[in-house]
Amino acid sequence: MIETTGFDRTFPAALAAVARVEFDYDDGEGVDFEPYDAFDSAEETTDWLRNWTGNHELDGDAFRVFGQDGTGGLAALWCVRPGRPLVEQPVVFLGSEGARGVVAANLSDFLWVLAGGLGPLEVVEFEQYEGRVDPGLTGLAERHATTPRRSTHDIVTTARTEFPDFSQDIDALCR
């Protein structure tokens, strides 16, 4: 089920720190991720979700979009935990060609995924769980993460176990 946690659009400090990082795509061998320095507006998110799903009755309240890959796939916080802060919401990826999946159970775990040298696209579309560790992003995660460092495989598996119906929930939104 997709629910919302209210209208909080306050950009978390950890995402502001990520937005200052330049990710190295390295001709496909690096991370294909372009972080934003603010969430997309509610209107932009709603417009994108309606076009992506084909369902023009939807609104984008359940998502806080904070980055994209080079093809336009979006990384977002999925506001599925009512009453909980944005940093405790799962991170999801909605690919430009329809791929979608849960990346991390919360923002803290997502920081460890980035520190491990992977972005949302690599995890969801390519099921890649090992990348080139990034010392700068490791330092960022050490400063901002509230969860212990774990392997990307463990982070993704835990998140997908907690949210096994994400893809089906998205399917239900599509016409």
Side-chain angles (χ1 to χ4, degrees):
M1 171 174 259
I2 294 180
E3 300 178 31
T4 63
T5 59
F7 297 100
D8 185 7
R9 300 194 80 75
T10 306
F11 207 60
L15 285 179
V18 169
R20 291 188 291 273
V21 173
E22 190 170 323
F23 288 82
D24 185 6
Y25 181 61
D26 192 22
D27 293 322
E29 298 300 317
V31 178
D32 186 359
F33 183 56
E34 301 167 18
Y36 300 163
D37 59 5
F39 290 123
D40 274 352
S41 71
E43 295 78 17
E44 289 171 309
T45 302
T46 294
D47 186 54
W48 186 87
L49 187 63
R50 286 177 176 175
N51 286 311
W52 193 76
T53 62
N55 182 344
H56 295 281
E57 304 298 316
L58 295 175
D59 65 46
D61 286 350
F63 300 96
R64 301 294 183 274
V65 177
F66 64 85
Q68 68 179 46
D69 67 26
T71 67
L74 301 179
L77 295 173
W78 177 35
C79 300
V80 69
R81 293 176 169 143
R84 305 265 293 273
L86 289 176
V87 297
E88 293 181 15
Q89 303 298 334
V91 173
V92 298
F93 178 74
L94 303 163
S96 63
E97 300 300 318
R100 68 286 193 129
V102 178
V103 178
N106 54 56
L107 182 55
S108 180
D109 283 347
F110 180 66
L111 297 176
W112 291 119
V113 171
L114 293 175
L118 298 168
L121 170 76
E122 290 81 20
V123 169
V124 172
E125 290 213 22
F126 305 122
E127 294 187 14
Q128 190 175 343
Y129 301 111
E130 291 193 27
R132 290 183 290 191
V133 174
D134 184 303
L137 284 166
T138 298
L140 188 150
E142 288 169 344
R143 288 187 301 279
H144 291 278
T146 58
T147 55
R149 185 177 195 159
R150 299 186 333 269
S151 72
T152 298
H153 185 268
D154 185 36
I155 288 169
V156 173
T157 300
T158 299
R160 290 181 181 170
T161 298
E162 184 176 356
F163 301 102
D165 298 327
F166 176 71
S167 190
Q168 291 83 358
D169 286 348
I170 295 298
D171 284 344
L173 297 176
C174 300
R175 287 198 213 208

